[in-house]
Amino acid sequence: MKECCDKIRAWTDRLSSSKIDGWEDLPGIDLYMDQVLTILEKQAEAYLQAEDIKAITPSMINNYVKDGTIKHPVKKKYGKDHIASLIMLNSAKQVLPISDISSLLNKASDEITMAEKYEYFTLIHKKACE
């Protein structure tokens, strides 16, 4: 029982100290898949139970592009909007179905920018982790 409590305490400590990069901290240049994966893995460290588990894979990203959850990369490069969408998706998939996340990411894109969506997400994420 103590071992279980210690694991839960360690996990909640990781969550409370986790921080998702703000919009201005995301790379301002387009990145290739392997560079995007590095960023996503860093952002998802608090959620992972074991070090050998991958939070997201290239196949997952390709599937998200194919089903329209995120926009197609431009010449195999992912921009700030892509990275923000993937960070939000990767975090939210812990509690929501991908179809719901897709609706949230792609809805009302004329009314609110991706930067505004992402900043609102980081605020909610911070509150939830605290």
Side-chain angles (χ1 to χ4, degrees):
M1 178 71 167
K2 182 179 178 344
E3 182 181 337
C4 182
C5 289
D6 290 343
K7 285 183 180 181
I8 291 172
R9 222 175 260 113
W11 180 66
T12 56
D13 288 346
R14 279 197 326 265
L15 277 178
S16 64
S17 66
S18 73
K19 179 189 175 291
I20 290 183
D21 289 341
W23 179 260
E24 66 283 346
D25 298 322
L26 296 178
I29 59 171
D30 294 343
L31 304 174
Y32 287 106
M33 175 78 76
D34 58 333
Q35 296 165 310
V36 172
L37 288 170
T38 301
I39 291 169
L40 295 174
E41 287 172 10
K42 178 183 153 267
Q43 297 292 325
E45 285 176 345
Y47 305 121
L48 301 179
Q49 296 291 327
E51 291 180 20
D52 60 339
I53 296 174
K54 294 289 183 190
I56 193 159
T57 64
S59 297
M60 293 165 87
I61 293 174
N62 289 332
N63 288 335
Y64 298 145
V65 170
K66 286 179 189 173
D67 70 14
T69 300
I70 65 165
K71 295 177 184 175
H72 285 271
V74 178
K75 297 181 182 176
K76 297 186 179 185
K77 289 187 175 182
Y78 296 83
K80 205 173 215 181
D81 283 4
H82 292 105
I83 295 167
S85 292
L86 285 164
I87 290 171
M88 291 186 286
L89 187 151
N90 203 35
S91 178
K93 75 178 182 179
Q94 309 299 318
V95 293
L96 292 173
I98 298 299
S99 59
D100 290 351
I101 298 168
S102 180
S103 295
L104 291 169
L105 290 176
N106 297 312
K107 191 167 186 148
S109 55
D110 294 337
E111 299 170 17
I112 184 170
T113 67
M114 181 57 71
E116 292 168 324
K117 286 180 194 179
Y118 186 74
E119 288 299 328
Y120 185 66
F121 169 80
T122 56
L123 178 68
I124 292 170
H125 182 272
K126 180 180 177 186
K127 288 180 181 180
C129 287
E130 288 173 351

